[in-house]
Amino acid sequence: MPDPSSWVVVVPVKAATRGKSRLAVDGVDRAALARAIALDTIAAAASCSAVSQVIVVTDEATLPLHAADIAGLRFVPEGEARGLNAAIAAGMQAAGERMPRAALLGDVPSLRGEDLAVALHAAAAVDRGVVADAEGTGSTLVTARAGLAWESAFGEGSFAAHRALGCEVLEVPGDSTLRRDVDTAEQLREARGIGLGARTTAVLG
């Protein structure tokens, strides 16, 4: 039997030229910033003690080169762009159902591996779980136990949508770095206040 504490985490990443269209920072290249945010998120997931593999779903051909210093990643092509949930589903298909699985949004640049581990430890006790974002309306992490068919409903109002799918709320601290996703300059300022990953910090100078 697989170790229930060993998770497969799927991270969907848009091509940097299309990602973070609402994130504008004066003097900073948006594509470089979007890529750095994704890479910091991926690196944090890969560093998590509860994670056995990180699967990155993307149509950006150069992302594996940018992520060459992050060990143990598996890249899956997104194929035809059909939205966030379809991209995650492609990653979940590649993962199979033998292991517990989680979908982590690729825009959590302050994420620390230990905060992800806290959430995954809580998720091990439920069939499906969800972590709300800092605003309480979106979701940053959705989980499913081994053997359970994957479902997700990321998008506007996704926290309520995931609750409707049967996801139980994973109790993580209110100040968990897992909650602070970044779509806007204001959210980036908040993430900077709790500490950004090295790549995002470097791009911002």
Side-chain angles (χ1 to χ4, degrees):
M1 293 292 289
D3 181 348
S5 67
S6 295
W7 289 78
V8 178
V9 174
V10 172
V11 183
V13 178
K14 279 185 180 181
T17 54
R18 296 189 292 112
K20 296 296 147 201
S21 58
R22 293 191 290 147
L23 183 57
V25 179
D26 289 343
V28 177
D29 180 76
R30 181 179 57 79
L33 180 57
R35 184 182 297 112
I37 287 171
L39 289 169
D40 278 335
T41 304
I42 293 164
S47 76
C48 177
S49 60
V51 174
S52 61
Q53 183 167 57
V54 177
I55 296 176
V56 181
V57 182
T58 187
D59 61 358
E60 182 173 351
T62 62
L63 192 63
L65 296 176
H66 291 288
D69 60 335
I70 306 173
L73 302 181
R74 178 181 177 186
F75 287 87
V76 172
E78 181 178 356
E80 181 184 355
R82 294 183 290 117
L84 184 58
N85 292 296
I88 291 169
M92 293 300 170
Q93 184 175 10
E97 297 182 1
R98 292 182 58 254
M99 305 289 285
R101 292 141 293 144
L104 170 67
L105 294 190
D107 59 359
V108 195
S110 295
L111 180 63
R112 292 190 290 269
E114 56 266 33
D115 285 350
L116 178 57
V118 167
L120 294 178
H121 178 75
V126 301
D127 284 350
R128 301 182 189 275
V130 60
V131 173
D133 63 11
E135 289 75 27
T137 57
S139 314
T140 60
L141 184 81
V142 172
T143 68
R145 65 165 172 78
L148 196 66
W150 179 259
E151 291 185 275
S152 68
F154 286 99
E156 187 175 354
S158 69
F159 182 68
H162 284 126
R163 292 286 286 133
L165 286 177
C167 293
E168 298 189 40
V169 179
L170 301 177
E171 298 298 340
V172 302
D175 61 354
S176 170
T177 58
L178 179 57
R179 293 188 184 276
R180 182 63 285 162
D181 57 340
V182 170
D183 285 309
T184 66
E186 176 58 32
Q187 290 172 341
L188 181 61
R189 282 191 290 271
E190 292 176 6
R192 200 169 194 173
I194 60 177
L196 293 167
R199 296 163 182 81
T200 308
T201 298
V203 170
L204 292 174

